[in-house]
Amino acid sequence: MIIVTGAAGFIGSCLIQRLNQDNFNYIIAVDDFSDEQKNKNLEGKKIQERVDREHFFEWLDANYQEVEFCFHIGARTDTTEFNVEIFNKLNLNYSKKIWKKCHDYQIPLVYASSAATYGLGELGYDDNESLIPQLKPLNPYGDSKNDFDIWALQQEEKPFFWAGLKFFNVYGPNEFHKGRMASVIWHTFNQIKKSGEMRLFRSHNPDYKDGEQMRDFIYVKDLIEVCLFLMHHRRDSGIYNLGSGKARTFLDLVKNTFSALDLEPNISFIDTPEDIRDKYQYFTEANMSKLKSIGYEKPFHTLEEGVEDYVKNYLSKDTYL
């Protein structure tokens, strides 16, 4: 029996599909299931039970002896939300409770952290745990993820195996419900379909030309392969980067989306809103050497490969993973 929190969301639902593929069908799906659009992500997947996140701990106290592993993917991920109490409740305190239960019941745990913890990257993008207390995230979401990482590292009582994964810019199927928080590829596809063009933020940093702001984009299929590796590996606990390891420009991303649609690029630029300019990341790139050092060897999709698969096999067909 495997727990997946955030089960109806983008990454959680993709993870369940991949677990089903390997015949792990006793899945306990934990989420707030009130969003019918989000629930479409779970259609056709093999799930043993759906448990509302508000009742999850009662369920776990009654059923922990059957649980083999916990993937804690669920979180409030809106980087434009500034109500700290929401993040304290859903991200920080909920995660602390899961950690404690996994320790008490000896359940191995993989949880989602975020590259948002790195802020403007003043200290680089190395998953060196000694640097984590010095990181300066740019918003309450990033703070909540970093605060939990710091707390986890301070605990003397830990699950016998645990890993925190700093997700970089994830894209791929099952993000239809995310709206403005969906990936740039999703937005590009929809803008092209609507208007035939894509508008990107202009650069307000003299070191970067328009559209040459860079991010580490990781295809969700690669991310969930790492999750499965850790589920079987169950040693070398710690906090790990999870990106492709290669920064690419937004222009690269958009041009590849046009290419996957067999269209010539039509790209224009608009000013970055003033209220986010001073919090805008111009570069992120995951140092992936730590994960590789514990034996992870699978290659990651290039941006070209990932975008082509996502656009041609999911977005263009309006299908789910």
Side-chain angles (χ1 to χ4, degrees):
M1 190 175 280
I2 297 170
I3 294 166
V4 179
T5 74
F10 164 37
I11 295 169
S13 61
C14 290
L15 176 58
I16 291 172
Q17 187 276 338
R18 182 65 182 83
L19 288 165
N20 287 170
Q21 190 179 318
D22 280 2
N23 290 317
F24 292 102
N25 300 326
Y26 291 99
I27 307 294
I28 305 303
V30 181
D31 211 323
D32 170 0
F33 296 102
S34 61
D35 184 340
E36 286 307 314
Q37 187 183 17
K38 207 164 88 166
N39 290 341
K40 291 178 183 177
N41 287 336
L42 293 177
E43 289 179 6
K45 294 174 175 61
K46 293 175 183 173
I47 290 167
Q48 178 78 1
E49 191 174 346
R50 296 188 187 198
V51 179
D52 187 276
R53 71 181 182 210
E54 296 294 328
H55 306 300
F56 169 59
F57 295 110
E58 299 159 36
W59 180 94
L60 186 58
D61 289 339
N63 295 277
Y64 68 88
Q65 290 175 311
E66 297 178 71
V67 176
E68 184 180 350
F69 205 91
C70 178
F71 290 103
H72 177 34
I73 308 298
R76 172 62 70 91
T77 59
D78 189 344
T79 57
T80 64
E81 172 65 69
F82 283 88
N83 184 341
V84 174
E85 287 307 309
I86 290 175
F87 291 109
N88 284 342
K89 177 186 176 184
L90 296 179
N91 292 6
L92 184 58
N93 295 331
Y94 199 91
S95 299
K96 287 180 180 180
K97 202 165 180 181
I98 286 181
W99 175 282
K100 289 173 180 174
K101 294 289 187 185
C102 286
H103 164 264
D104 292 346
Y105 298 144
Q106 287 300 288
I107 300 169
L109 170 68
V110 166
Y111 74 86
S113 182
S114 172
T117 57
Y118 287 116
L120 291 173
E122 300 95 334
L123 298 176
Y125 297 92
D126 293 340
D127 43 10
N128 179 339
E129 291 169 12
S130 68
L131 294 176
I132 286 173
Q134 301 172 47
L135 297 178
K136 296 176 182 176
L138 298 172
N139 50 51
Y141 164 68
D143 283 330
S144 70
K145 289 296 188 179
N146 203 51
D147 287 346
F148 181 70
D149 288 344
I150 292 169
W151 181 88
L153 291 169
Q154 291 171 340
Q155 299 312 296
E156 291 184 12
E157 295 185 332
K158 309 176 191 290
F160 74 85
F161 168 72
W162 66 275
L165 300 177
K166 289 183 182 253
F167 296 164
F168 277 67
N169 283 65
V170 191
Y171 67 95
N174 299 14
E175 59 171 340
F176 294 104
H177 66 282
K178 287 177 68 73
R180 65 179 294 189
M181 298 309 298
S183 71
V184 180
I185 298 166
W186 185 89
H187 285 290
T188 301
F189 175 85
N190 284 288
Q191 274 201 37
I192 292 169
K193 285 294 181 184
K194 185 177 180 180
S195 66
E197 68 166 350
M198 176 60 182
R199 296 185 296 171
L200 286 172
F201 285 153
R202 190 170 282 117
S203 173
H204 300 274
N205 182 328
D207 295 334
Y208 294 85
K209 295 178 182 176
D210 291 345
E212 293 189 4
Q213 303 95 317
M214 302 182 83
R215 292 281 194 286
D216 188 329
F217 301 102
I218 177 168
Y219 196 27
V220 70
K221 291 184 179 181
D222 294 323
L223 183 149
I224 57 182
E225 289 300 326
V226 173
C227 289
L228 259 71
F229 165 79
L230 290 169
M231 183 180 77
H232 295 299
H233 186 72
R234 297 194 188 191
R235 56 184 187 275
D236 304 303
S237 294
I239 295 175
Y240 294 88
N241 279 340
L242 187 41
S244 70
K246 177 69 175 172
R248 298 292 298 272
T249 69
F250 282 104
L251 277 176
D252 288 338
L253 183 149
V254 171
K255 286 177 180 176
N256 276 291
T257 307
F258 274 102
S259 176
L261 290 165
D262 297 317
L263 296 170
E264 286 296 314
N266 181 10
I267 303 166
S268 59
F269 297 94
I270 58 172
D271 285 343
T272 305
E274 287 194 29
D275 62 335
I276 65 169
R277 280 186 202 178
D278 61 340
K279 295 181 162 98
Y280 187 85
Q281 293 173 306
Y282 277 82
F283 179 87
T284 66
E285 184 175 81
N287 180 343
M288 293 300 295
S289 58
K290 188 173 173 183
L291 183 69
K292 291 176 182 176
S293 75
I294 66 167
Y296 191 77
E297 297 177 340
K298 282 192 177 181
F300 290 83
H301 287 78
T302 64
L303 184 65
E304 286 77 8
E305 292 166 344
V307 171
E308 182 173 28
D309 183 51
Y310 182 25
V311 171
K312 289 188 173 179
N313 294 318
Y314 301 96
L315 290 176
S316 292
K317 297 177 180 178
D318 198 24
T319 57
Y320 293 78
L321 182 67

